């Protein structure tokens, strides 16, 4: 069947609100030993496509999932010439001794990085109509990633390597190269990150892919989050709306801090959001015992406000993430990392996408045999009754002052 779509380049896709972006993992169990099948991945791609998502982000190529995602998209394109889905392909980068039980050496890189990059190059050449970006590493430079972080010089080396392959014609010139990392790692935070190697990296990438997570900072910075005295006159929904406005403004401030640092170097290139998200459950720092940040209602409001801002601003937002993935915190089913999806593992649509269920977007679609239905049976009152309010801001301020 003749393919009628003129496939777009990264420069045409990124920042285009008609090509929504999403972070994606298709794991259904609490172990990545159970790889999703191509059929399961095709189901997921159809669900994402029904949402308007047309570019997804993957994280590594050393497990079968990324290759099978590419196969799934290729098969869907063969079945339907109008189907569009592109990939930001992640190449995982580690320091020496990462995940081995030995002390990580953050000044040397893992020997395995060579094969990870080589495989990413092979896939980019095998699927040039699908892979539009290669991201070298994921949160690989931020120093709280103590299990595996590397120095910016390692990321710079591999970015330069890929850019050289483009110059030689061994990778398509339209392929964009980046690294996806925390806003601080891109110069938007502590000055310890402001190094010569980072400055060179900013100049070497085709665009900056930065992460921002206001949800996490509701624990570390409760003052920005909590309800203030003068807001108590408002309804619960209004109070939450104002709180989520502050959360989005917090993300904007981190975005702008990266932009300011980039421009201080005399660089002017796109900055897109490689990750942001809001969990819907936590039995840890972000749940009932602490900041009370997470639930489906707050997550849904954050999702729509982030989409509104980034779409209007011409910023791609690879929202984290499409589906819950129980392997993220396999030892604690209630851990927040397991609950960032817009859908549950069973394919139930959380509040963020209830509107799409109402519009019939998923009418003929299933996930593992399950039809797409709303959580809480679509009962907004039940959902709101389950929502805990953020802490009182003045109380939290006083608490901090007494510590």
């Amino acid at each position: 069947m003749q393919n009628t779509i003129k496939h777009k380049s990264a420069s045409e896709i990124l920042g285009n609100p008609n090509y929504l972006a999403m972070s994606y993992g298709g794991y259904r169990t609490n172990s990545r030993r159970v790889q999703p099948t191509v059929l399961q991945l095709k189901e997921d791609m159809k669900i994402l496509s029904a949402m308007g998502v047309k570019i997804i982000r993957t994280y590594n190529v050393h497990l079968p999932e990324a290759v099978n995602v590419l196969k799934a998209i290729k098969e869907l394109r063969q079945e339907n010439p109008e189907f569009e889905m592109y990939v930001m392909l992640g190449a995982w980068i580690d320091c020496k001794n990462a995940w081995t039980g030995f002390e990580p050496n953050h000044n040397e890189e893992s020997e395995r990085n060579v094969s990870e990059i080589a495989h990413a190059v092979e896939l980019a050449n095998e699927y040039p109509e699908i892979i539009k970006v290669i991201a070298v590493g994921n949160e690989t430079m931020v120093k709280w990633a103590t299990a595996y972080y590397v120095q910016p010089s390692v990321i710079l080396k591999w970015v330069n390597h890929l850019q050289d392959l483009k110059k030689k014609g061994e990778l398509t010139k339209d392929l964009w190269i980046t690294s996806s990392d925390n806003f601080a790692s891109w110069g938007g935070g502590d000055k310890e990150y402001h190094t010569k190697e980072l400055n060179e990296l900013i100049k070497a990438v085709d665009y900056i892919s930065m992460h921002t997570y206001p949800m996490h900072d509701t624990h570390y910075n409760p003052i920005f989050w909590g309800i203030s005295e003068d807001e108590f006159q408002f309804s619960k929904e209004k109070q939450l709306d104002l709180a989520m406005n502050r959360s989005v403004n917090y993300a904007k401030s981190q975005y702008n801090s990266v932009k300011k640092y980039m421009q201080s170097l005399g660089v002017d290139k796109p900055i897109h959001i490689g990750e942001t998200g809001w969990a819907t459950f936590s039995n840890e720092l972000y749940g009932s015992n602490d900041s009370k940040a997470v639930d489906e209602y707050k997550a849904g409001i954050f999702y729509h406000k982030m989409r509104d801002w980034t779409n209007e601003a011409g910023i791609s937002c690879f929202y984290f993430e499409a589906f819950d993935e129980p392997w993220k915190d396999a030892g604690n089913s209630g851990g927040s990392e397991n609950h960032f999806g817009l859908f549950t593992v069973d394919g139930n649509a959380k509040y963020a996408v209830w509107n799409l269920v109402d519009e019939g977007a998923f009418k003929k679609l299933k996930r593992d045999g399950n039809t797409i239905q709303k959580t809480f049976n679509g009962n907004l009152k039940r959902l709101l009754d389950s929502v805990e309010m953020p802490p009182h801001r003045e109380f939290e301020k006083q608490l901090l002052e007494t510590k």
Side-chain angles (χ1 to χ4, degrees):
M1 188 179 289
Q2 186 69 27
N3 199 318
T4 59
I5 290 178
K6 176 187 179 295
H7 289 282
K8 297 184 179 293
S9 64
S11 62
E12 295 172 291
I13 295 169
L14 297 182
N16 186 339
N18 295 317
Y19 286 75
L20 295 183
M22 188 73 67
S23 295
Y24 175 74
Y27 294 99
R28 271 78 164 164
T29 75
N30 64 1
S31 172
R32 287 194 293 176
R33 292 189 184 92
V34 183
Q35 289 284 312
T37 66
V38 172
L39 180 60
Q40 288 176 317
L41 296 170
K42 288 170 73 173
E43 286 184 341
D44 288 354
M45 294 304 106
K46 289 178 181 178
I47 293 169
L48 291 174
S49 181
M51 297 172 63
V53 171
K54 293 185 179 178
I55 180 167
I56 60 169
R57 180 182 167 207
T58 63
Y59 287 81
N60 63 72
V61 296
H62 59 270
L63 295 173
E65 187 201 36
V67 175
N68 287 334
V69 165
L70 296 168
K71 289 178 180 176
I73 294 171
K74 184 175 181 179
E75 288 185 15
L76 288 169
R77 290 179 61 231
Q78 291 170 340
E79 294 165 12
N80 176 11
E82 301 298 314
F83 186 83
E84 278 189 286
M85 189 67 73
Y86 304 102
V87 171
M88 172 182 174
L89 187 72
W92 191 266
I93 299 295
D94 282 328
C95 70
K96 188 176 180 64
N97 295 335
W99 320 109
T100 63
F102 296 101
E103 184 71 21
N105 182 346
H106 299 295
N107 294 310
E108 292 185 34
E109 66 172 315
S110 167
E111 297 87 348
R112 208 198 56 75
N113 293 347
V114 174
S115 59
E116 182 81 355
I117 293 292
H119 195 191
V121 170
E122 290 172 3
L123 291 173
N125 283 323
E126 186 176 353
Y127 297 94
E129 74 284 1
I130 298 174
I131 297 173
K132 300 301 175 181
V133 180
I134 293 179
V136 179
N138 174 66
E139 294 179 343
T140 313
M141 298 182 289
V142 67
K143 300 199 186 313
W144 46 251
T146 53
Y148 66 96
Y149 82 78
V150 300
Q151 304 304 328
S153 57
V154 173
I155 303 299
L156 176 64
K157 180 187 83 170
W158 289 118
V159 167
N160 282 339
H161 169 70
L162 295 173
Q163 297 288 27
D164 286 342
L165 293 181
K166 284 165 61 176
K167 291 174 185 174
K168 294 174 184 175
E170 296 176 30
L171 281 172
T172 175
K173 61 180 174 54
D174 290 331
L175 181 72
W176 274 14
I177 310 300
T178 190
S179 181
S180 208
D181 218 310
N182 181 267
F183 83 101
S185 304
W186 284 114
D190 196 286
K191 289 184 178 179
E192 72 172 315
Y193 290 98
H194 296 179
T195 64
K196 177 176 176 288
E197 290 78 13
L198 174 63
N199 297 347
E200 291 179 14
L201 177 62
I202 288 173
K203 295 172 183 176
V205 294
D206 291 301
Y207 75 97
I208 289 173
S209 175
M210 61 152 279
H211 298 185
T212 175
Y213 276 100
M215 186 213 90
H216 287 139
D217 286 354
T218 61
H219 167 74
Y220 302 102
N221 188 5
I223 292 173
F224 103 83
W225 165 249
I227 302 296
S228 64
E229 190 87 40
D230 60 355
E231 293 173 4
F232 286 151
Q233 62 182 302
F234 301 132
S235 67
K236 184 177 188 178
E237 293 95 321
K238 178 65 174 177
Q239 289 180 32
L240 290 169
D241 189 70
L242 291 169
M244 301 318 293
N245 277 341
R246 289 194 292 274
S247 300
V248 173
N249 287 336
Y250 191 80
K252 289 180 181 179
S253 72
Q254 293 187 335
Y255 183 92
N256 289 331
S257 68
V258 172
K259 186 174 182 178
K260 181 179 178 180
Y261 185 73
M262 176 190 74
Q263 291 177 336
S264 76
L265 304 176
V267 177
D268 184 16
K269 59 182 57 174
I271 303 171
H272 297 293
I273 296 177
E275 265 189 38
T276 194
W278 202 280
T280 55
F281 183 81
S282 173
N283 60 8
E284 304 164 308
L285 299 178
Y286 317 108
S288 296
N289 297 325
D290 202 286
S291 68
K292 299 178 173 61
V294 296
D295 55 63
E296 283 193 34
Y297 188 78
K298 298 188 194 87
I301 299 300
F302 182 74
Y303 175 74
H304 287 288
K305 287 183 181 294
M306 285 297 291
R307 283 290 190 218
D308 289 345
W309 163 48
T310 53
N311 286 346
E312 184 177 345
I315 299 167
S316 275
C317 177
F318 287 84
Y319 198 83
F320 188 87
E321 63 178 329
F323 302 93
D324 284 348
E325 293 187 271
W327 72 269
K328 296 273 186 179
D329 191 354
N332 176 22
S333 62
S336 62
E337 290 298 308
N338 297 330
H339 299 279
F340 271 87
L342 299 176
F343 296 85
T344 68
V345 173
D346 293 333
N348 289 325
K350 298 185 188 179
Y351 178 65
V353 289
W354 279 11
N355 62 309
L356 295 177
V357 178
D358 290 337
E359 293 167 12
F362 312 118
K363 192 171 183 180
K364 297 181 180 179
L365 301 178
K366 293 185 178 182
R367 192 174 207 238
D368 298 337
N370 301 313
T371 56
I372 308 298
Q373 300 181 26
K374 297 179 189 177
T375 54
F376 291 85
N377 289 321
N379 188 320
L380 182 57
K381 184 182 183 303
R382 273 187 56 211
L383 171 57
L384 281 167
D385 286 345
S386 73
V387 172
E388 295 183 289
M389 298 303 290
H392 182 276
R393 195 185 303 174
E394 294 303 317
F395 172 76
E396 289 292 340
K397 185 178 180 181
Q398 293 168 11
L399 189 65
L400 287 173
E401 288 172 350
T402 59
K403 286 185 177 180

